């Protein structure tokens, strides 16, 4: 589901390559290039590597800043974890899913729950089942790129089911930006969950590495250092241009001055990549800048007890100020958090949403107030810690005709490459796709590293 557009084919051993952006993508790319003999420098703006997957500390507990689970079917990610010696450190479980609809919670864990779900009638339920079966059988999603997700789902499932089931699911992933998405987006989700069910022999199996992403990233960073990668953190890059001298290096500007490289790969979000590289052509710039990104405001809460039995609760009631409830305690052994429970309240929004400017205190008051209204046994004195993450550019939305507007990986600036989540076509943003994107780009184009050009 990722593109196979190649990174450069001919790279000589010892070639100086900078990877800008030390998220998971940049880290895996850096590791693979170093293993093939390149002299790699990984440059990250934040004080630590990991990007969206990085951990933070909440009430004395260190865990992922954003909720992360691995599916049994995530073969690329699991391959990397195996390589890092972490696959045996994974714990697996089946998770429960619920719906909050009409002021009540409803389980959604199989056919019986589905049949009992009161929000839609039996005919609509049949149509919904057929829609999913149809989606899972579509081999080529490209024609779906020309139909909006709302039009496609309404056509097959009907308006009531769209409003009561699909829209809450779409809002949980995209916020109100679901209106911009093509049907290929829901196709990718149906296929991923079908694969998970198949691989998990019926039930969805979700897993995590004991210790969370802090442990994964520490192991990956150790592998980078061992492979000879130079890691620069706390180093925001401000510009990448080619030096004026004939055959000149690419110069990466940061606070400490200009660093010179033979090649540079930008793994930062598409609009940021456009801003860093002034020499890109007008068409390349337009393709990067026009990507419609979704952002997130995501609250983490440490509670004395889990909220309920579901890992994910989808919300049909639009008064709720967040777009889903993720109760991580239903996946992770609570011993990891000193016996407490960890809940995430994500709100997917546009990068320019006013919520980004709102104070932590105002967001906390609105989110906690909603939880008290939703969960009868819940009150704010059960909260041990509350912290908010804000990210304006999380992933580009699969808009109409998306794959026709892809930015090129190899740019018109010699030696400059852009590879990021915008190149995950007809897939969803997850660590498995991210690792696959790094590996596939390399397999396609960088195999000659270490053998000389
Ligand atoms: C809320 C949420 C939930 C998720 N849930 C899951 C899940 O359950 N399962 C799963 O598998 N995946 C999940 N993911 C997805 C997963 O986190 C991503 O697939 C992965 O982290 C993407 O890595 P990346 O390197 O492509 O991007 P990023 O992590 O965004 O990395 C880009 C990096 O570039 C850096 N950067 C930006 N500008 C500059 C600059 N000028 N100079 C230097 N560095 C710069 C940034 O600081 C960042 O570190 C989730 C993500 C989010 C946000």
């Amino acid at each position: 589901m990722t593109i196979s557009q190649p990174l450069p084919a001919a790279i000589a051993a010892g070639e100086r390559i900078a990877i800008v952006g030390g998220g998971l993508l940049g880290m895996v790319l850096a590791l693979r290039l170093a293993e093939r003999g390149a002299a790699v420098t990984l440059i990250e703006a934040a004080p630590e590597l990991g990007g969206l997957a990085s951990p933070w500390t909440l009430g004395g507990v260190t865990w992922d800043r954003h909720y992360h689970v691995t599916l049994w079917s995530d073969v690329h990610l699991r391959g990397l974890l195996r390589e890092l010696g972490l696959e045996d450190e994974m714990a697996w479980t089946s998770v429960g899913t619920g719906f909050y609809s009409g002021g009540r919670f409803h389980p959604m864990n199989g056919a019986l729950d589905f049949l009992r779900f009161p929000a839609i009638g039996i005919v609509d339920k049949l149509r919904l089942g057929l829609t999913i079966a149809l989606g899972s059988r579509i081999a080529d999603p490209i024609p779906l790129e020309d139909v909006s997700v709302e039009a496609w789902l309404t056509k097959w499932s009907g308006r009531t089911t769209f409003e009561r089931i699909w829209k809450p699911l779409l809002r949980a992933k995209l916020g109100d930006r679901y209106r911009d998405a093509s049907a290929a987006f829901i196709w990718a989700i149906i296929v991923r969950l079908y694969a998970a069910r198949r691989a998990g022999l019926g039930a969805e199996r979700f897993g995590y590495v004991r210790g969370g992403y802090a442990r994964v990233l520490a192991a990956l960073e150790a592998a980078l250092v061992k492979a000879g990668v130079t890691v620069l953190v706390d180093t925001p890059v401000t510009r990448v241009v080619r030096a004026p001298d004939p055959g000149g290096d690419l110069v990466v500007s940061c606070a400490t001055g200009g660093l010179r490289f033979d090649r540079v790969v930008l793994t930062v979000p598409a609009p940021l990549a456009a801003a860093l590289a002034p020499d890109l052509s007008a068409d390349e710039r337009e393709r990067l800048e026009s990507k419609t990104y979704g952002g997130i405001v995501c609250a983490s809460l440490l509670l004395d007890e889990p909220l309920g039995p579901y890992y994910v609760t989808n919300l049909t009631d639009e008064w709720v100020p967040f777009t889903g409830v993720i109760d991580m305690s239903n996946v992770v052994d609570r011993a990891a958090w000193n016996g407490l429970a960890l809940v995430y309240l994500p709100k997917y929004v546009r990068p320019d949403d006013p919520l980004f400017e709102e104070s932590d205190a105002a967001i906390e008051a609105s989110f906690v107030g909603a939880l008290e209204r939703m969960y009868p046994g819940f009150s704010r004195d059960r909260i041990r810690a509350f912290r908010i993450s804000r990210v304006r550019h999380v992933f580009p939305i699969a808009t109409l005709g998306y794959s026709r507007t892809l930015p090129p990986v190899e740019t018109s600036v010699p030696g400059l490459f852009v590879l990021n989540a915008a190149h995950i076509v007809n897939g969803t943003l997850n660590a498995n796709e991210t690792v696959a994107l790094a590996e596939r780009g390399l397999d396609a184009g960088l195999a000659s590293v270490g053998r000389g050009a």
Side-chain angles (χ1 to χ4, degrees):
M1 277 184 273
T2 49
I3 58 150
S4 57
Q5 217 179 340
L7 285 166
I11 288 190
E15 198 164 337
R16 299 159 304 160
I17 303 179
I19 310 286
V20 177
L24 198 55
L25 178 61
M27 292 175 84
V28 177
L29 270 177
L31 179 64
R32 297 300 180 232
L33 286 167
E35 285 169 346
R36 294 173 195 195
V40 182
T41 303
L42 178 61
I43 311 176
E44 166 58 40
E48 58 184 2
L49 297 177
L52 296 172
S54 59
W56 67 4
T57 303
L58 174 75
V61 163
T62 299
W63 202 259
D64 309 355
R65 185 158 71 110
H66 305 116
Y67 50 95
H68 279 83
V69 289
T70 300
L71 303 192
W72 187 258
S73 51
D74 285 347
V75 289
H76 300 283
L77 176 60
R78 291 180 62 195
L80 177 69
L81 295 175
R82 196 172 311 125
E83 205 182 309
L84 297 173
L86 290 175
E87 229 212 350
D88 290 345
E89 292 300 313
M90 293 203 74
W92 293 96
T93 185
S94 299
V95 299
T97 300
F99 261 75
Y100 180 73
S101 180
R104 295 187 53 201
F105 291 94
H106 307 274
M108 194 58 81
N109 299 307
L112 213 56
D113 288 339
F114 180 55
L115 288 172
R116 287 192 188 124
F117 186 59
I120 57 171
I122 188 71
V123 174
D124 283 334
K125 283 175 181 161
L126 281 173
R127 288 183 71 181
L128 176 66
L130 287 172
T131 309
I132 295 172
L134 174 75
S136 72
R137 279 172 181 73
I138 292 177
D140 176 12
I142 295 296
L144 296 180
E145 284 195 350
D146 290 320
V147 188
S148 83
V149 72
E150 181 166 1
W152 192 79
L153 288 172
T154 307
K155 174 176 169 192
W156 293 107
S157 294
R159 175 51 61 185
T160 308
T161 304
F162 178 80
E163 290 293 334
R164 297 191 185 162
I165 304 273
W166 288 117
K167 195 162 117 181
L169 292 172
L170 291 170
R171 287 182 77 244
K173 288 270 178 198
L174 302 174
D176 288 337
R177 295 231 110 168
Y178 77 83
R179 294 192 179 89
D180 298 322
S182 80
F185 175 79
I186 202 71
W187 173 86
I189 289 183
I190 290 173
V191 168
R192 179 166 153 85
L193 291 180
Y194 245 71
R197 276 177 190 269
R198 264 201 313 276
L201 302 173
E204 283 164 24
R205 296 191 70 194
F206 284 41
Y208 70 101
V209 173
R210 291 185 192 90
Y213 261 85
R215 189 137 175 237
V216 176
L217 295 169
L220 193 48
E221 189 167 352
L224 289 174
V225 171
K226 193 167 166 210
V229 174
T230 303
V231 176
L232 304 178
V233 292
D234 244 332
T235 309
V237 168
T238 51
R239 219 160 86 106
V240 181
V241 291
R242 194 156 264 290
D245 40 302
D249 295 333
L250 281 165
V251 181
V252 173
S253 302
C254 47
T256 48
L259 306 170
R260 300 175 77 97
F261 297 94
D262 301 307
R263 304 194 195 232
V264 175
V265 185
L266 302 177
T267 69
V268 303
L272 306 189
L276 288 182
D279 299 337
L280 291 173
S281 71
D283 177 60
E284 288 165 341
R285 182 171 307 287
E286 154 69 17
R287 284 169 182 267
L288 290 167
E289 287 171 348
S290 65
K291 292 290 152 287
T292 305
Y293 268 72
I296 192 169
V297 172
C298 186
S300 293
L301 289 79
L302 265 187
L303 306 177
D304 57 356
E305 288 291 329
L307 277 176
Y310 312 125
Y311 167 59
V312 177
T313 302
N314 298 297
L315 312 169
T316 61
D317 297 8
E318 291 189 17
W319 63 265
V320 183
F322 33 84
T323 43
V325 178
I326 314 292
D327 195 336
M328 209 66 202
S329 325
N330 292 302
V331 176
V332 174
D333 182 347
R334 287 164 57 195
W337 312 313
N338 307 327
L340 296 173
L342 177 60
V343 169
Y344 296 88
L345 302 176
K347 166 100 174 162
Y348 286 92
V349 285
R350 310 168 67 94
D352 58 356
D353 194 283
L355 200 60
F356 282 107
E357 313 304 334
E358 216 159 289
S359 70
D360 283 8
I363 295 174
E364 180 170 352
S366 126
F367 280 22
V368 171
L371 279 186
E372 284 180 326
R373 199 170 145 194
M374 288 170 68
Y375 292 86
F378 176 82
S379 67
R380 60 191 64 211
D381 56 13
R382 286 178 47 192
I383 301 173
R384 298 285 174 269
F386 187 101
R387 202 170 167 190
I388 297 170
S389 165
R390 296 171 175 80
V391 184
R392 286 184 197 264
H393 295 100
V394 175
F395 60 93
I397 293 173
T399 45
L400 293 180
Y402 186 85
S403 56
R404 292 194 291 274
T405 67
L406 269 189
V409 175
E410 181 165 13
T411 73
S412 59
V413 180
L416 180 63
F417 299 83
V418 178
L419 187 70
N420 56 33
H423 295 104
I424 297 175
V425 180
N426 296 321
T428 56
L429 179 72
N430 56 70
N432 189 58
E433 288 282 3
T434 299
V435 173
L437 182 64
E439 310 268 1
R440 219 179 276 200
L442 289 165
D443 285 348
L446 290 173
S448 65
V449 172
R451 297 201 299 267

